[in-house]
Amino acid sequence: MYPEPLVMPMKQELISTGFEECLTPESVDKAIAQSGTVLMVVNSVCGCAAGAARPGVKASLQTSKKPAHLYTVFAGYDVDAVTQARKHFAPYPPSSPAIALF
């Protein structure tokens, strides 16, 4: 598990953009079950997340058409929530970062 001081700025990058954290498996299920389009991002400390995923997701929201709901989980930190999110991503294999529309 990654240390909190390392993870928090990376979490905040999406939260400050309007994403809501899912910290438990139940919150993941509740988020995905909502009506309307749900964007779920598996955030990560890796360079792929920093260099492409977070900037790309943020850029994708700079348009008039946006998903109704924005959620995120953090790999290597919110372990149970990430495991639950990845169950919904099936049949795609686990990856960090990862992005899915429901």
Side-chain angles (χ1 to χ4, degrees), residues 51-65:
R54 289 192 301 269
V57 166
K58 289 171 24 180
S60 77
L61 299 174
Q62 303 303 312
T63 179
S64 61
K65 292 195 175 201

Side-chain angles (χ1 to χ4, degrees), residues 13 15 17 24 57 74 82-83:
E13 191 172 346
I15 293 167
T17 307
T24 66
V57 166
F74 204 96
V82 171
T83 299

Side-chain angles (χ1 to χ4, degrees), residues 25-33 40 81-92 100-102:
E26 296 79 20
S27 65
V28 169
D29 290 341
K30 184 177 177 183
I32 291 173
M40 176 70 73
V82 171
T83 299
Q84 189 65 18
R86 286 179 173 158
K87 288 178 184 177
H88 291 280
F89 290 14
Y92 303 100
L101 281 171
F102 298 95

Side-chain angles (χ1 to χ4, degrees), residues 11-65:
K11 283 184 158 207
Q12 193 58 39
E13 191 172 346
L14 289 182
I15 293 167
S16 68
T17 307
F19 282 80
E20 190 174 326
E21 287 186 283
C22 291
L23 301 174
T24 66
E26 296 79 20
S27 65
V28 169
D29 290 341
K30 184 177 177 183
I32 291 173
Q34 291 185 81
S35 63
T37 305
V38 174
L39 177 63
M40 176 70 73
V41 176
V42 178
N43 200 352
S44 175
V45 299
C46 73
C48 296
R54 289 192 301 269
V57 166
K58 289 171 24 180
S60 77
L61 299 174
Q62 303 303 312
T63 179
S64 61
K65 292 195 175 201

